[in-house]
């Protein structure tokens, strides 16, 4: 982004806009020199209980919409505002746990849900009538506003809008979700920012923390980044190649958006314990189930903390669900969670040993499903991983200056190195199970098991890496190249005589090629599309994570479900000026990737003077 | 000293601020001790002001006298222990009516929660780093507020004895900030489910 070179930003700020938590990290550019970088986590003041403000390392990504009589005026006062317009953070999370109908959570997952109108007040789903609902976009704006205010309050001389900000998004975010994140940042008053994929941020954080990272990562390595967060699992592949004597990192593939994470594991354990209590004739209400889920998370961390040598091993952890009333003794329920149960539920349920040909089970969804988040239907992370690596078997085949040591006849892309991210993978049992499965796949095809990149900070890596990225972006240093992780296509209905009962066949026209880099523009696709003047016209929109060689203008007649994935529709409206309403005007579509990291599609009239152009909206309101 | 007679209002806040600073700032406490003994602190410097939310103030201490402890911070702490660890619920119950297993189950809730609250808001360290049971020597001028002598207390320092308890000291305290309207006397609100 352009910036006055006379007054460079003092700080490179990384914002991890997470599904369950947000974090803020800062690089003091003036105090950093070369690879000696001063990165600090920025604590975030927030309301923790009515009238109490505490500075915590993370901001829980929750908005609570209180009833008018619920909180005293001033109970949510913050250091920078006596009456903040929204309640976000720890108190929002805690209140919402007791009153879920007023709680907005997982807004980020809604942001990339193409079936929902992401600008419409749809959250929380099923709220009572008196709740003033908000949109997924609003929620992101609220979190970013809070982070911005916290930063400005701590550093009034260097407000955030004058600093270099990097905001992370899941690698699996589609163009519309990235665009919405960028819009949220602008609405929150953040001006100079770039978007960065979370797995890449994890790699940057690892690089920043390892003085000798070049000894751990080699030319021709294929690095698999596995990021298991609270609510989502994000996968990326990064190739390491030699460019003019230095290592260059190239992100070659990203996985699908998988709504599966640590919270699912805690809930699964809670249900096991609940069933155990039910067998003893003890029933739990919703409040107790939440307390139980929390207790299960703590127990899970204790039970899975043992390393391969059996250090820190325990066989069972007592679980106590406190009574709700003031009678604590006698009213509390006591049981225990055993290592066997945790291994059965977590290891066998979420990271089972499967072979490389395994694929996630999918259930056919009902035609009219209730509007909700598309949670992963198969809880096995290893099966999602197998599907990803299998789909990406040729991901490095066409890459220049790269010679990966793939075994003969490999059925999936063999990674040679693995980097973990996300607090869930701090548990040695989970991490070693994932490595064991990857190693088993490699051996079955005569390959080498991948090695683990040590020393990653699994909790804070994303915000740290984002701040580091902002720093290297301004000053040089190692960069991960990537560009678009998919090629994009517009669906064009072919002109043919109508056949009753058959939908007209659709061809897919490539409008943006794979790997297109930030700050570049592609030539318009040479096939004109007809737009009706004065009316919004929609096109089907597709992405392909595997068709790497399609150039702009390529048309596909048919494709497999795995090859092209339908995204939300795109929409263009041509204003009436110079044309009659209802007239069909042929336009060309041109794509560009902005410096911020978002895809932009522009409609150019074929017969125009070249000056008129209209933006094509990637985020279309769904009217059901 | 320009303001030799601050108002009673100012003195009230000064007393609260001084209470915390004496509690958590060893250097300051030492100056107060000297002041009480009748000497003005020679090396008092404003640079010694800590970062614990205590407003920088002139390096003088209030008239030494027994002050009422600031109840607000104490009530806030009780509220935190109740919220995180059901502390008040536990203490207000009659434990004699229950078998040990039930008390043990409840104690886990209290222990886990109160530990979390204390760890969150206080940085604690032992006064003496040596293992309990080891022999320690106290030189002349040891801090009598941090070390209590027991047993055959006679003669002149240096004293040599056995460390029976390592002691605890707060290195840093950070309680949540309270808004003006907050009622600290409510340790736990009553809950009414609609």
């Amino acid at each position: 982004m352009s910036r006055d070179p006379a007054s460079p930003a003092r700080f490179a700020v990384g914002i991890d806009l997470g599904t369950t938590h947000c974090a803020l990290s800062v690089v003091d550019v003036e105090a950093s020199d070369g690879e000696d970088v001063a990165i600090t986590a920025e604590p975030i003041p927030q309301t923790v209980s009515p009238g109490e403000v505490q500075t915590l390392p993370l901001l829980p990504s929750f908005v609570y919409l209180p009833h008018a009589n619920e909180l005293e005026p001033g109970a949510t006062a913050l250091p920078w505002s006596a009456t903040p317009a929204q309640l976000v953070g720890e108190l929002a999370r805690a209140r919402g746990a007791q009153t879920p109908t007023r709680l907005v959570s997982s807004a980020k997952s809604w942001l990339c849900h193409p079936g929902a109108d992401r600008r419409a007040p749809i959250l929380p789903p099923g709220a009572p009538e008196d709740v003033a609902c908000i949109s997924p976009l609003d929620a992101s704006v609220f979190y970013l506003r809070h982070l911005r205010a916290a930063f400005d309050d701590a550093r009034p001389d260097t407000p955030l809008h004058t600093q270099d900000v990097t905001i992370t998004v899941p690698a699996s975010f589609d163009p519309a979700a990235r665009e919405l994140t960028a819009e949220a940042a602008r609405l929150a008053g953040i001006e100079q920012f770039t978007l960065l994929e979370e797995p890449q941020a994890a790699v940057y954080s690892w690089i920043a923390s390892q003085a000798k990272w070049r000894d751990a990562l080699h030319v021709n390595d294929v690095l698999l980044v596995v990021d298991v967060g609270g609510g989502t699992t994000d996968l990326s592949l990064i190739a390491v190649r030699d460019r003019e004597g230095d290592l260059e990192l190239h992100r070659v593939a990203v996985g699908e958006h998988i709504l599966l994470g640590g919270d699912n594991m805690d809930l699964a354990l809670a249900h096991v314990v609940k069933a155990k209590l039910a067998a003893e004739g003890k029933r739990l209400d919703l409040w107790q189930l939440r307390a139980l889920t929390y207790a299960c998370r703590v127990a899970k961390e204790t039970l899975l903390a043992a390393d391969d040598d059996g250090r820190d091993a325990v066989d069972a952890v007592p679980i106590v669900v406190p009574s709700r009333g003031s009678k604590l003794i006698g009213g509390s329920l006591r049981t225990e969670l055993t290592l066997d149960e945790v291994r059965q539920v977590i290891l066998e349920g979420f990271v089972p040993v499967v072979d490389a040909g395994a694929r996630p089970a999918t259930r056919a969804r009902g035609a009219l499903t209730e509007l909700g988040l598309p949670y992963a239907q198969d809880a096995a992370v290893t099966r999602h991983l197998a599907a990803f690596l299998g789909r990406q078997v040729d991901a490095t085949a066409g890459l220049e200056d790269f010679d990966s040591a793939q075994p003969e006849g490999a059925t999936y892309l063999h990674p040679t190195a693995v980097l973990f991210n996300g607090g869930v993978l701090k548990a040695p049992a989970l991490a070693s199970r994932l490595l064991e499965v990857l190693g088993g796949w490699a051996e079955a095809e005569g390959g080498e098991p991948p090695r683990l990149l040590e020393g990653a900070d699994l909790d804070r890596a994303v915000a740290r890496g984002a701040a580091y990225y902002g720093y290297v972006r301004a000053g040089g240093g190692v960069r991960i190249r990537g560009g678009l992780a998919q090629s994009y296509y517009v669906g064009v209905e072919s002109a043919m005589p109508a056949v009753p009962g058959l939908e007209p066949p659709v061809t897919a026209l490539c409008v943006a090629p794979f790997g297109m880099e930030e700050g570049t523009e592609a030539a318009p696709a040479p096939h004109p599309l007809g737009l009706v003047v004065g009316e919004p016209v929609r096109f089907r929109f597709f992405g392909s994570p595997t068709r790497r060689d399609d150039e702009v203008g390529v048309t596909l007649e048919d494709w497999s479900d795995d090859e092209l994935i339908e995204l939300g529709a795109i929409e263009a409206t041509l204003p009436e000026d110079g044309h009659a309403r209802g007239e069909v005007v042929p336009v060309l579509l041109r794509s560009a990737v902005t410096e911020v990291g978002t895809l932009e599609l522009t409609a150019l009239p074929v017969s125009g003077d070249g000056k008129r152009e209209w933006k094509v909206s990637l985020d279309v309101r769904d009217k059901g | 000293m320009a303001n030799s007679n601050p108002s009673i209002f100012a003195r009230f806040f000064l007393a609260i601020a001084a209470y915390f600073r004496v509690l958590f700032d060893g250097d300051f406490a030492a100056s107060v001790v000297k002041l009480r003994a009748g000497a003005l602190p020679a090396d008092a410097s404003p640079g010694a002001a800590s970062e614990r939310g205590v407003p920088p103030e002139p390096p003088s201490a209030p008239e030494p006298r027994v002050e009422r402890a600031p109840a607000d911070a104490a009530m806030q702490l009780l509220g935190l222990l109740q919220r995180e660890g059901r502390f008040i619920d536990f203490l207000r119950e009659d434990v004699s009516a229950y078998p040990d297993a039930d008390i043990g189950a409840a104690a886990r809730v209290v222990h886990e929660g109160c530990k979390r609250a204390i760890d969150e808001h206080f940085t604690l360290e032992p006064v003496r780093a040596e293992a309990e049971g080891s022999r320690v020597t106290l030189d002349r001028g040891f801090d009598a507020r941090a070390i209590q002598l027991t047993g055959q207390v006679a003669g002149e320092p240096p004293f040599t004895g056995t460390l029976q308890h390592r002691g605890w000291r707060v290195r840093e305290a950070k309680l949540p900030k309270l808004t003006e309207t907050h009622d600290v006397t409510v340790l736990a609100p009553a809950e009414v489910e609609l």
Side-chain angles (χ1 to χ4, degrees), chain A residues 204-271:
Chain A
Y204 280 115
S205 167
W206 176 77
I207 287 173
S209 67
Q210 304 288 307
K212 296 193 170 173
W213 68 271
R214 285 183 178 83
D215 295 344
L217 210 53
H218 315 295
V219 170
N220 296 332
D221 260 336
V222 178
L223 171 62
L224 168 69
V225 185
V226 181
D227 181 356
V228 183
T232 54
T233 295
D234 214 7
L235 304 167
S236 284
L237 284 166
I238 292 171
V240 185
R241 53 182 182 167
D242 181 3
R243 271 292 164 97
E244 288 149 16
D246 204 2
L247 292 186
E248 184 192 84
L249 305 181
H250 197 105
R251 197 265 287 107
V252 291
V254 304
E256 287 178 77
H257 201 69
I258 309 167
L259 286 184
L260 174 65
D263 294 354
N264 305 53
M265 300 181 185
D266 304 336
L267 202 57
L269 284 176
H271 279 101

Side-chain angles (χ1 to χ4, degrees), chain A residues 48-54 56 73-75 77 98 294 298 318 320 322-330 334, chain B residues 76 80 83 86 89-90 93 95 98 102-103 105-106 108-110 112 116 120-121 176-179 181-182 191 193:
Chain A
V48 294
S49 86
E52 265 186 83
V53 174
Q54 200 180 334
L56 299 176
Q98 305 190 19
Y294 177 77
V298 176
V320 178
S323 67
R324 189 160 183 192
S326 67
K327 289 193 87 59
L328 187 62
I329 310 172
R334 186 190 182 283
Chain B
Q76 188 188 0
L80 280 172
R83 190 166 79 219
R86 309 284 295 272
D89 288 344
F90 185 66
E93 264 187 278
V95 295
Y98 298 101
D102 285 355
I103 298 172
R108 286 191 187 279
V109 174
V110 179
E112 194 214 32
R116 190 166 58 234
E120 181 80 37
H121 301 287
K177 296 192 182 85
L178 299 178
T179 60
T181 55
H182 186 68
E191 286 179 31
E193 185 154 301

